[in-house]
Structures are given as C-alpha cells and as structure tokens.
Amino acid sequence: VYKRQELSPEQFEVTQAEIDAAFDEVDPSLIASIKKAHANIEYYHAKNLRQSWEETLEDGSTIGQRVTPIESAGVYVPGGKAFYPSSVLMNIVPAKAAGVKDIVMVSPPSYNGTIHPVVLAAAKIAGADRVFRVGGAQAVAALAYGTETIPQVLKITGPGNTFVTAAKSLVRSICDIDTE
C-alpha cells in the first residue's frame, strides 16, 4: 500500500528495534534464502579483492600498490510498489567485503509508512550500519552533502528511477557514484 508519507527528521532513521521487529516478521524460509544469497555474494566478492603489494627493485627504488577501503558508502534501495532485497545484498555485501567501515542505506517509506520488512531484514543480514526511510533525488543529495540527520558518504551506489539517476549524476563531483 503506497501512500505519501510526511516524516520529521527525527523519524527518518530506522531504529535497531524496528529492524529487529521487521526481521522477526519475515518468513524464516525467506530469511534462510537471503542468508544463502548473502553467503554466495560475500564468497564471490572476497575472491575478487585486490591486495596491496610492494617490491624493491635492483636499483633500490620501491614500487607497489596500496589498496585501502573507503570510509563510507551510501546505498540507495528503491521502494514503491515493489521491494528489492537483492539491491540491498548486491550493494552492501561487496562494500563490506572490501572493508568499507560505514554503510548508510536509504529507501523510501513506501510500505505502511516505512521500509518493507524484507528489505530491512536484508539490511540487517548484509550489515548496513544505519538505515534511513528517505528516497528519491533528495536522498541522494542528503548522502552526497550530508544533513543534520543523514551523514555524508564518499560513494553512492544502487539503482533508482530517472530522478535518482539524474541526482547521482549531479553529485558526482561531490562524491563517487557507482556508474563511474
């Protein structure tokens, strides 16, 4: 049931209690499927991690590559008439595998005034550090610039409609986005 929601900034962040309640609401067989998908995605991405390396040449000079994870990432998960736990997993799990320290997820409050329970359960399984019930271009802007409520991130990933895609394109000089 989609209905426009009006929330104050204090209501944007989904609490851990709300996430836990949503998790408990989801059918255990679906939770098992999400956990299996999580394990498969994590296994794959762990195999693809680049490693730092350093070598001293005969002349004494040193060459190498240092690979370090970024500090923070924002994940946009679409909402509306459908829900996408796959978007949660395919964006958060690779970031976690790469060692990103803070992952902030945003998704519109399009299911009974909040985010669909299956999406919240996937966020819990994947390891989102914070979840906000905000969506659209304004959610992308909040992640890129930061607000009093939503922290600024260094990279934004995840699918979205035309407006979300346009917003990501507009903030690419502020933070990295997944299409570049």
Side-chain angles (χ1 to χ4, degrees), residues 51-109:
Q51 300 297 319
S52 297
W53 62 273
E54 186 175 287
E55 183 178 322
T56 302
L57 301 177
E58 289 179 15
D59 67 0
S61 60
T62 303
I63 61 169
Q65 172 178 287
R66 181 171 295 148
V67 178
T68 57
I70 60 174
E71 290 290 318
S72 60
V75 174
Y76 188 90
V77 178
K81 295 179 182 174
F83 54 96
Y84 303 97
S86 58
S87 290
V88 175
L89 296 176
M90 292 304 294
N91 285 279
I92 294 176
V93 176
K96 283 289 185 184
V100 176
K101 292 175 181 49
D102 295 312
I103 299 176
V104 179
M105 187 182 101
V106 295
S107 187

Side-chain angles (χ1 to χ4, degrees), residues 100-125:
V100 176
K101 292 175 181 49
D102 295 312
I103 299 176
V104 179
M105 187 182 101
V106 295
S107 187
S110 54
Y111 177 84
N112 296 334
T114 193
I115 300 168
H116 197 283
V118 173
V119 172
L120 290 175
K124 179 176 178 159
I125 292 166

Side-chain angles (χ1 to χ4, degrees), residues 17-35 83-85 88-89 111 114-125:
E18 290 173 300
I19 293 169
D20 292 342
F23 184 90
D24 293 342
E25 187 180 323
V26 178
D27 184 282
S29 64
L30 184 52
I31 293 292
S33 295
I34 294 170
K35 286 181 176 180
F83 54 96
Y84 303 97
V88 175
L89 296 176
Y111 177 84
T114 193
I115 300 168
H116 197 283
V118 173
V119 172
L120 290 175
K124 179 176 178 159
I125 292 166

